[in-house]
Amino acid sequence: EPEVTQTPSHQVTQMGQEVILRCVPISNHLYFYWYRQILGQKVEFLVSFYNNEISEKSEIFDDQFSVERPDGSNFTLKIRSTKLEDSAMYFCASSVQIEQYFGPGTRLTVT
Amino acid sequence: AQSVTQLDSHVSVSEGTPVLLRCNYSSSYSPSLFWYVQHPNKGLQLLLKYTSAATLVKGINGFEAEFKKSETSFHLTKPSAHMSDAAEYFCVVRTDTGRRALTFGSGTRLQVQP
């Protein structure tokens, strides 16, 4: 069964550094998403992406964040200058219709 | 705006007994509702979905949920718990027309005792 995959599974970075989280969505899916879950808090929507542009974004998704689909298979989330409060589990998801399929997540630790 | 409230942060049952995980939603429009499960170190797996068709929805692994508009509820049930059901369960809503963002509940951790 096709799955969403994410790399790396765990990323440790220093405050102020740039990080890129990578996702490979399910191959025939058209919509792509990033969510995050800060430890002990709810899963929160960050951004959705369709037809090579952002279709929705939340208040969390400020200028520090960007997304890109650099080729036909990858979907990336870049955080330009990480802060301590960016430490969280980041989930990628993809969909064709209404139901979204999630990857296993990348745990980002900012020190 | 939509929201989801999961009424129990932690539920413990014995193997072979019924499971009930409670969820209430708030929405200005007709909602689509989902239950996702997360096993340790795994991704979020879709258990079932409600999208304005039958109010009783059957999902994977013997789970089902009933949409009750009058009670704004979407509780998840299973007749007989299995040890492998131990996980975190999330009730999720999507309502705003034209938007695809999902709103998650805070999760319910299900513990299954032998």
Side-chain angles (χ1 to χ4, degrees), chain A residues 31 33 35 37 41-45 48 55-57 89 91 95-105, chain B residues 4 32 34 36 38 41-46 49-51 90 94 98-106:
Chain A
Y31 296 86
Y33 313 84
Y35 292 79
Q37 185 179 29
Q41 299 185 22
K42 294 184 181 184
V43 176
E44 303 171 289
F45 169 76
S48 64
S55 51
E56 291 174 57
K57 60 182 181 179
M89 181 73 89
F91 293 103
S95 70
V96 175
Q97 297 178 355
I98 192 170
E99 57 266 37
Q100 297 179 19
Y101 295 88
F102 285 78
Chain B
V4 173
S32 295
F34 311 85
Y36 282 84
Q38 185 179 30
N41 301 315
K42 299 284 187 183
L44 295 155
Q45 182 185 18
L46 180 65
K49 66 178 180 183
Y50 165 78
T51 56
F90 295 94
R94 171 181 173 250
R99 296 190 65 229
R100 288 179 170 262
L102 300 179
T103 299
F104 280 72
S106 53

Side-chain angles (χ1 to χ4, degrees), chain A residues 47-66:
Chain A
V47 66
S48 64
F49 191 85
Y50 171 72
N51 200 25
N52 284 320
E53 61 182 27
I54 291 172
S55 51
E56 291 174 57
K57 60 182 181 179
S58 71
E59 293 173 353
I60 303 167
F61 194 87
D62 60 21
D63 292 342
Q64 293 281 67
F65 293 91
S66 62

Side-chain angles (χ1 to χ4, degrees), chain B residues 45-78:
Chain B
Q45 182 185 18
L46 180 65
L47 271 181
L48 49 79
K49 66 178 180 183
Y50 165 78
T51 56
S52 75
T55 56
L56 183 62
V57 180
K58 293 188 186 299
I60 62 171
N61 300 334
F63 284 94
E64 60 182 40
E66 186 171 8
F67 173 73
K68 291 187 176 180
K69 187 175 181 179
S70 60
E71 298 176 11
T72 60
S73 69
F74 190 59
H75 301 335
L76 182 71
T77 60
K78 183 173 180 177

